[in-house]
Amino acid sequence: MCGIIGVVSKKKSENVMPIVYECLCNLEYRGYDSFGFATVNPHLHVLKNVGAVSKFINQDNFPLKGSLGFAHTRWATHGGVTKANAHPHTDCTNTIGVVHNGIISNHHELRKELIKKGHVFRSETDTEIVAHLIEEELKTTSDFELAAVSAVRKLVGSFALVIGSSNFPDVLLAFRKESPLIIGIGKDKFFAASDVISFLKYTKKMIPLDDYEYAILSRDGYMIKDWRTMNPVNKRPKTVNWDFEMAKKGDYDSFMEKEIFEQPLAFRESFYIDKPTLKKVVQTLLSAKRIYVTASGTSYHAGLVFQYLLKELANISVIPVISSEFQNLAIVDEETAVVFISQSGETADTLTALRYVKRKGGKTIGIVNVVGSSIARECEATLYINAGPEIAVCATKSYLNQLSVLYQISFELAKHRGILGINEIEALEDQLKQLPELIKLTLGSINRKVSEIAKDIQYLSKSFYIGRGIGVPTAKEGSLKLREITYDFSMSFDGAGELKHGSISLVDSDMFVVAIVQNDETYDDMIGNIQECKSRNGKVITITSNPTSELIEKSDYVIEVPEANPLLSPVLYILPLQLLAVYVTKLRGLNPDRPRALAKSVTVK
Ligand code: G6P
């Protein structure tokens, strides 16, 4: 989940290092245990340290200068968080530098062989072997590209690599296998980065590399090749329709707040889905004998909502499975369709599940935010959710946009299945179109109240989030938001009914309980659950569109959200829970954008 960036300017006189720094800062959401830079001028200069880069270095007085540079921000996997383990890693001669995202699984064997040949290692990382392998290859060839390709062919595992050398000062090489790597084509610069946001300020033209591809970025131009054959690959650049401004924090204290409050706007964009692809998705689902939905984290919670929707609207059964368990649980054949939901389109667990389904001959449908990402490209049909760049580690606007796309699929399926009358479906479609306004209204009306509640409950570090029916995914998502950024113990269940089968024994005056009370047939049972928690002295925060006197009396706090069809309610009910997580985090003096040990895009299993 590290972030890597390489920049080559066509002009030898240009100093790109402040740009490399800027691009790296845009990748910090991928990890910020340590950072490092390298440039060639004329020797290989490396600068690295532990901590987040933006805390250490000032862009204006950037200490390195060069017209080509590469850098890394680390989320530690192999080796502790030390300066020695920070990238770039170099060979024995200090002429070759490497930055890497991924895991090289045969690094132990390779390291042993290299040590036997006299190489001296300075870090505990898997990455350092790449620099030494290239050094070794250069003993038999003077061709940098060939040496790097030969080295890369020896690697097992997943990697995105950017490699530079002071003996070849006009070129950067960038290799990909199973970890994201995007080439940016600027007017006078080329980029290789873990994602497009990194260099968006400089260019919107990009080429996502596929597995087994590498890019040669030089002053004269760029070339993409296959590292199994070294044959050129003809790939046309794509243009991303994201703006750099969208990836800025503006007046907000954190990206997470910015992204929560831009949900009314972002949600509207989800309506512009590609209609022919939607049709294809619907046909695939209609003809499947078995349907799974798989994802991780927040995206999985969107999948849980999908399960309820298809049952209610189309009488279709969908089996949700978290991606990391997919192969252990799912039975896949040619008549199986699987929906993969992912904001980043790069989550290793979800990508692994996708490749498994393809091997088994199943049909694959992607619901993805990042254009050109691996999941988006590898699925037979992909619908983009159009949430724009999401920077905060905690997913917020992407969740709402995922829901919107899942609603649109469900409504189409409902029309084909004839379970609901066309009028009912059209009424739901109209309500969906009104949600951007309702999201705006809700955020405005609850904001103050939620921040006051946050002040009251900030000292309670245990919580349960409970819901029933379509409120279950909301409870799970709300609890995840709180856990992710406050580090408090928070738990949710597969249904509030489970509370009495053990967990209720944990409820006491040190705990708050968030109850999702829908205005539907689950209402009475939820009142029962609230009562049970109250009688054990838990503080109850109720989220509801129907604040009856009974609910007001039994709850410590009631947050009212606007009434909507219960099937659409997950979009509105999650809003106070996103805000609650942010406000508690801020009261504790923590940064909601920088949750410890978490990364936005988890590209390792
Ligand atoms: C990580 C992030 C979560 C995210 C999950 C799935 O755990 O911290 O916020 O929900 O990955 O990511 P995806 O990009 O596949 O939606």
Side-chain angles (χ1 to χ4, degrees):
M1 281 106 71
C2 309
I4 63 173
I5 172 75
V7 181
V8 180
S9 170
K10 288 187 185 168
K11 295 181 245 156
K12 203 158 184 167
S13 56
E14 186 183 8
N15 175 20
V16 295
M17 293 316 287
I19 297 174
V20 175
Y21 170 85
E22 217 181 344
C23 294
L24 192 71
C25 288
N26 296 335
L27 289 170
E28 265 197 325
Y29 72 87
R30 301 177 70 89
Y32 29 82
D33 291 341
S34 61
F35 65 89
F37 295 84
T39 187
V40 173
N41 186 16
H43 302 294
L44 183 76
H45 295 282
V46 172
L47 170 80
K48 52 182 170 178
N49 214 332
V50 291
V53 62
S54 48
K55 287 208 177 131
F56 275 82
I57 298 181
N58 180 335
Q59 187 186 4
D60 301 330
N61 301 314
F62 196 82
L64 298 179
K65 283 194 170 50
S67 58
L68 156 164
F70 49 106
H72 184 272
T73 181
R74 181 164 187 247
W75 190 87
T77 52
H78 284 63
V81 182
T82 63
K83 191 170 165 181
N85 288 338
H87 300 214
H89 291 288
T90 52
D91 67 319
C92 300
T93 64
N94 271 325
T95 58
I96 303 162
V98 179
V99 292
H100 166 218
N101 171 31
I103 291 175
I104 295 164
S105 41
N106 63 338
H107 74 107
H108 280 302
E109 303 91 88
L110 292 171
R111 183 184 272 252
K112 268 197 223 148
E113 282 171 30
L114 287 161
I115 288 173
K116 267 197 216 145
K117 288 181 181 158
H119 290 261
V120 178
F121 282 79
R122 282 163 293 195
S123 77
E124 304 157 85
T125 64
D126 50 344
T127 307
E128 193 184 340
I129 54 140
V130 181
H132 293 278
L133 276 176
I134 300 173
E135 177 191 358
E136 197 57 32
E137 294 294 336
L138 281 169
K139 290 179 182 164
T140 53
T141 173
S142 56
D143 183 334
F144 183 40
E145 182 188 337
L146 181 63
V149 166
S150 310
V152 165
R153 285 180 184 157
K154 297 199 165 92
L155 307 178
V156 177
S158 61
F159 46 85
L161 297 161
V162 173
I163 305 166
S165 166
S166 52
N167 291 327
F168 308 91
D170 295 326
V171 63
L172 281 182
L173 300 174
F175 290 83
R176 172 186 164 137
K177 186 179 166 242
E178 292 171 19
S179 292
L181 194 54
I182 318 289
I183 305 305
I185 320 290
K187 228 172 46 208
D188 51 9
K189 280 173 215 56
F190 301 115
F191 302 81
S194 301
D195 77 25
V196 78
I197 296 170
S198 168
F199 55 72
L200 199 56
K201 181 172 165 191
Y202 295 94
T203 181
K204 291 183 181 184
K205 266 170 84 181
M206 57 109 178
I207 302 178
L209 290 191
D210 282 302
D211 284 348
Y212 306 106
E213 288 177 351
Y214 69 107
I216 307 156
L217 308 180
S218 77
R219 305 208 189 283
D220 309 327
Y222 69 91
M223 185 173 266
I224 315 283
K225 290 187 177 180
D226 185 314
W227 50 262
R228 291 167 302 187
T229 59
M230 287 183 83
N231 290 335
V233 183
N234 204 356
K235 292 186 108 171
R236 285 229 175 131
K238 295 181 184 180
T239 305
V240 260
N241 61 354
W242 288 0
D243 270 329
F244 181 64
E245 287 305 309
M246 291 159 93
K248 281 177 150 175
K249 205 156 51 180
D251 292 336
Y252 290 96
D253 289 348
S254 64
F255 276 109
M256 185 165 170
E257 284 162 285
K258 181 207 169 209
E259 287 160 6
I260 290 173
F261 284 99
E262 77 188 15
Q263 289 178 117
L265 273 180
F267 199 83
R268 257 181 232 289
E269 296 299 313
S270 67
F271 300 148
Y272 299 103
I273 57 173
D274 185 64
K275 294 290 182 292
T277 311
L278 177 62
K279 209 168 160 193
K280 184 172 172 189
V281 166
V282 168
Q283 284 311 326
T284 306
L285 292 174
L286 283 173
S287 56
K289 288 242 166 75
R290 205 181 294 116
I291 303 175
Y292 289 102
V293 59
T294 189
S296 310
T298 291
S299 299
Y300 177 69
H301 299 150
L304 293 180
V305 175
F306 191 47
Q307 182 188 26
Y308 284 94
L309 293 180
L310 284 202
K311 186 232 162 209
E312 285 299 320
L313 294 170
N315 199 25
I316 292 175
S317 165
V318 178
I319 310 167
V321 181
I322 51 169
S323 298
S324 54
E325 285 299 317
F326 192 81
Q327 295 191 45
N328 299 334
L329 289 170
I331 301 166
V332 179
D333 59 21
E334 288 81 3
E335 293 182 312
T336 307
V338 186
V339 179
F340 300 86
I341 309 176
S342 176
Q343 186 285 130
S344 61
E346 301 292 350
T347 299
D349 290 331
T350 312
L351 200 50
T352 306
L354 166 59
R355 290 174 180 164
Y356 170 76
V357 173
K358 289 179 90 167
R359 281 200 303 279
K360 294 278 178 186
K363 308 278 181 295
T364 56
I365 295 164
I367 311 291
V368 178
N369 190 35
V370 177
V371 176
S373 56
S374 301
I375 295 173
R377 283 178 294 134
E378 292 185 29
C379 280
E380 283 158 62
T382 293
L383 286 168
Y384 285 109
I385 63 168
N386 301 336
E390 190 177 63
I391 311 289
V393 170
C394 265
T396 53
K397 61 175 181 167
S398 65
Y399 178 63
L400 256 56
N401 280 37
Q402 287 167 348
L403 292 183
S404 172
V405 170
L406 295 169
Y407 284 124
Q408 293 173 67
I409 298 172
S410 308
F411 296 160
E412 288 307 312
L413 284 167
K415 287 177 196 161
H416 284 274
R417 299 275 296 169
I419 308 293
L420 298 188
I422 190 71
N423 292 347
E424 281 174 281
I425 302 168
E426 279 173 4
L428 278 165
E429 285 178 327
D430 283 349
Q431 282 205 33
L432 181 72
K433 291 273 150 61
Q434 285 157 23
L435 281 181
E437 270 312 307
L438 281 186
I439 296 168
K440 196 169 163 196
L441 190 88
T442 311
L443 287 170
S445 67
I446 61 170
N447 192 21
R448 205 151 143 214
K449 183 154 198 179
V450 177
S451 78
E452 276 159 15
I453 296 173
K455 278 184 205 144
D456 287 358
I457 56 117
Q458 62 176 307
Y459 304 106
L460 303 176
S461 62
K462 293 189 299 180
S463 59
F464 280 165
Y465 281 57
I466 56 173
R468 285 175 181 261
I470 203 163
V472 170
T474 306
K476 285 181 183 270
E477 175 59 9
S479 174
L480 176 67
K481 290 302 88 155
L482 192 87
R483 275 201 305 277
E484 279 180 304
I485 53 177
T486 63
Y487 321 135
D488 284 351
F489 173 83
S490 181
M491 202 174 154
S492 186
F493 308 92
D494 292 337
E498 270 304 286
L499 200 56
K500 59 188 173 294
H501 298 293
S503 306
I504 192 125
S505 57
L506 297 179
V507 179
D508 59 19
S509 56
D510 290 332
M511 175 177 270
F512 70 91
V513 177
V514 174
I516 310 298
V517 184
Q518 309 271 146
N519 191 14
D520 60 15
E521 64 288 347
T522 61
Y523 175 88
D524 288 337
D525 288 338
M526 282 306 298
I527 294 272
N529 292 128
I530 289 174
Q531 185 65 58
E532 286 157 16
C533 294
K534 261 328 299 168
S535 46
R536 282 157 185 86
N537 299 319
K539 265 207 170 0
V540 175
I541 305 170
T542 294
I543 320 290
T544 188
S545 60
N546 182 24
T548 56
S549 50
E550 192 183 19
L551 264 182
I552 293 170
E553 187 200 313
K554 290 184 196 300
S555 313
D556 294 274
Y557 308 93
V558 175
I559 302 173
E560 187 180 351
V561 293
E563 181 75 53
N565 185 301
L567 290 178
L568 296 171
S569 64
V571 171
L572 301 176
Y573 275 63
I574 193 60
L575 302 172
L577 306 185
Q578 295 172 339
L579 288 174
L580 187 67
V582 173
Y583 292 146
V584 172
T585 305
K586 286 174 72 175
L587 285 165
R588 301 256 174 84
L590 299 167
N591 178 351
D593 290 342
R594 291 280 158 84
R596 69 178 180 216
L598 301 184
K600 179 138 195 82
S601 181
V602 184
T603 52
V604 290
K605 278 196 264 171

